[in-house]
Amino acid sequence: VVIAALGLASLFVLYTIFDYDASVGTSLRDPQDFRDITARALAEKNNPSPLLLLPEIPNKKTDEPTAWDIRLNERYYHELDGNGSTSTSRHLEQGHDQDEFTTICLCPKCGSSSFYTKLYEVTHHTSVTYGYDKTKWLWRLQSPEWKNIDTRGKTNWSRFSPEKSLVLIRDPKKRLLSSWKSKVQCNADAVDTFDARRILPELLDLAGFSHEIFSYYTDNKGLKTPCLDLSTFLLVMFQIHLQGKEGLVNDHMRPQHLICFLHVGPEEWGVVTTIDDDGLTCKLEKMLGVESAIKNGGIGNSSSGGDGDVFDCHDVEKMGKEHTTGKLSEYTTMTEVDEAILNAIT
C-alpha cells in the first residue's frame, strides 16, 4: 500500500510540474512552460510545494567507481638512485603484491585536478605546468606520462586494504553547483565547452526532455554550444532522480555514494577527507612510501599509532584550493524552489 501510494504521489508530482502525457512519457508541449515552472511555483509559494514531499530516492547500480590501485615502480627508485638516494634493491626486496598497492578514489569536482597534480609531483620528482589542453593525460593514470607508478583500475574489491586507501569527498550541494558552473551554465568563459556539448544532450535524454529547452552560445572556437540556467538544470536533475536514473548521469553530477562508496562504505576506507585537508600531501606520501616520507619517520598505517601513522600528518601546506567552505549563495543566486530541489536530490 505504501509503495502504491508513493507511486501515485510521484505521478502526481510529474503531472503537476511537468505536464505529464502518458502517451509519450514525460514531455513538454511548449518548452517555454519548462522555463516558467520556477516562476509559477514562486508565485504560489504560500501553498505547500510537492517538491518538499518527495519519497526517499533509492540507490541504483551504476558502472565501476573512479578508483585506482597505485604503487611506486622500479623506475621511481632508479631515479632516486641517480640522485644519491638509497639503493633500488632495498625498496624492491619485499616483492610486488597487493599489500604494496594504495587504493585511491576521487569523485569529479572533488579536487581531482589538484590531487593528481600533487600525485605526479611526489612520484615523478618534478612539477606539472598546468593547462587543460596540455595535460589531459593528468586524469588518465595509465597514460605513458605516469611512468613512475604502476596502476590498475580497481575492479576486485575483495582485495581491499583499508589501511592503504584514500578517498576524497565534497559537500554534495556545492559539488553539484560547481558542476553546473563548469559544465552547464551559459558562460563561454567559465565552461568546458567540449564537455558541455557531450554531457548536456545525454542529460536531457536521460530526463526525457526535448533538446528544444536548451539555450545556446558560441564558444571561442565559433562552435554552437548548449547550456541551461540553474533553475532548468536543477529541474532536469530532479526529474532524473524521480525516475531512479541518478546512477546513469555523467560522473560530474553522479551522487558520491554511487562512485567511491558503491562497493566499499565510507567507514571502511582508511582516509576519508577533502582536498583542503592540511595533511593530505603527507598522508599520500606515507601511504605510497615515497622517499621523503621514509626519511621522516617511516611508513605506517591508520591503525598502527606509530611514528609513521598517516594521521600524524598536520600543519602542512594545503594541496589545493578550499572546496568545502563558504555559503551556497557564493556559487550563484538561487530561488526558494531551487533550494528545495537541491535539498531533495543531494
Side-chain angles (χ1 to χ4, degrees), residues 263-305:
H263 297 285
V264 177
E267 71 283 355
E268 299 180 65
W269 288 80
V271 174
V272 180
T273 189
T274 61
I275 193 63
D276 55 331
D277 177 355
D278 287 344
L280 182 53
T281 301
C282 172
K283 293 170 184 176
L284 176 64
E285 288 181 335
K286 287 188 175 182
M287 279 192 176
L288 290 174
V290 301
E291 187 72 2
S292 60
I294 295 172
K295 290 180 178 178
N296 291 318
I299 308 168
N301 58 52
S302 59
S303 60
S304 68

Side-chain angles (χ1 to χ4, degrees), residues 8-301:
L8 289 173
S10 297
L11 287 176
F12 173 76
V13 171
L14 292 173
Y15 184 89
T16 302
I17 299 178
F18 295 104
D19 195 13
Y20 187 77
D21 186 337
S23 66
V24 295
T26 305
S27 63
L28 294 169
R29 297 188 180 92
D30 181 359
Q32 185 61 39
D33 287 344
F34 193 86
R35 302 184 182 285
D36 292 341
I37 290 172
T38 298
R40 294 202 306 270
L42 283 175
E44 301 172 357
K45 64 181 179 180
N46 292 327
N47 297 323
S49 171
L51 296 176
L52 303 178
L53 303 175
L54 292 177
E56 181 179 354
I57 297 170
N59 294 338
K60 292 293 179 180
K61 292 183 178 180
T62 184
D63 54 2
E64 289 296 329
T66 313
W68 296 87
D69 283 335
I70 62 175
R71 68 181 175 191
L72 300 173
N73 62 25
E74 294 184 24
R75 184 187 294 269
Y76 168 84
Y77 294 114
H78 280 304
E79 289 185 1
L80 283 181
D81 290 346
N83 294 323
S85 182
T86 48
S87 67
T88 301
S89 60
R90 181 175 73 81
H91 295 286
L92 299 178
E93 62 186 6
Q94 296 177 0
H96 282 243
D97 55 31
Q98 171 63 27
D99 293 337
E100 291 187 46
F101 280 97
T102 294
T103 301
I104 61 171
C105 188
L106 321 173
C107 63
K109 307 307 296 181
C110 288
S112 58
S113 299
S114 297
F115 184 91
Y116 284 135
T117 298
K118 179 58 66 174
L119 176 62
Y120 187 83
E121 290 174 356
V122 301
T123 57
H124 290 74
H125 321 293
T126 186
S127 60
V128 175
T129 301
Y130 186 77
Y132 182 77
D133 290 337
K134 297 180 180 179
T135 55
K136 291 181 179 180
W137 55 267
L138 190 64
W139 293 269
R140 303 165 185 159
L141 293 185
Q142 292 180 320
S143 297
E145 287 85 353
W146 289 96
K147 56 186 176 59
N148 285 4
I149 61 174
D150 295 331
T151 64
R152 63 190 185 195
K154 187 66 175 177
T155 56
N156 185 2
W157 289 95
S158 64
R159 302 189 69 190
F160 175 78
S161 301
E163 66 275 9
K164 297 202 66 169
S165 63
L166 184 150
V167 57
L168 287 190
I169 60 173
R170 187 179 183 183
D171 177 279
K173 293 179 175 57
K174 294 172 183 176
R175 176 174 173 258
L176 188 60
L177 291 177
S178 178
S179 296
W180 169 77
K181 289 189 70 173
S182 67
K183 307 295 180 185
V184 182
Q185 70 168 315
C186 300
N187 184 345
D189 295 328
V191 171
D192 182 331
T193 57
F194 174 81
D195 277 353
R197 290 190 292 271
R198 176 176 59 92
I199 293 173
L200 284 179
E202 296 175 357
L203 204 64
L204 257 62
D205 290 343
L206 271 178
F209 291 126
S210 166
H211 293 194
E212 293 180 62
I213 69 172
F214 280 138
S215 297
Y216 290 92
Y217 61 87
T218 302
D219 67 10
N220 54 16
K221 295 182 179 179
L223 297 176
K224 186 178 179 182
T225 303
C227 61
L228 297 172
D229 60 64
L230 179 62
S231 296
T232 306
F233 168 70
L234 289 174
L235 286 164
V236 170
M237 293 300 299
F238 173 75
Q239 174 66 330
I240 289 172
H241 278 255
L242 275 179
Q243 296 180 38
K245 297 178 181 178
E246 64 270 27
L248 302 177
V249 300
N250 180 269
D251 54 8
H252 289 83
M253 295 122 186
R254 189 181 309 158
Q256 293 171 76
H257 68 281
L258 297 177
I259 304 178
C260 294
F261 302 135
L262 180 62
H263 297 285
V264 177
E267 71 283 355
E268 299 180 65
W269 288 80
V271 174
V272 180
T273 189
T274 61
I275 193 63
D276 55 331
D277 177 355
D278 287 344
L280 182 53
T281 301
C282 172
K283 293 170 184 176
L284 176 64
E285 288 181 335
K286 287 188 175 182
M287 279 192 176
L288 290 174
V290 301
E291 187 72 2
S292 60
I294 295 172
K295 290 180 178 178
N296 291 318
I299 308 168
N301 58 52

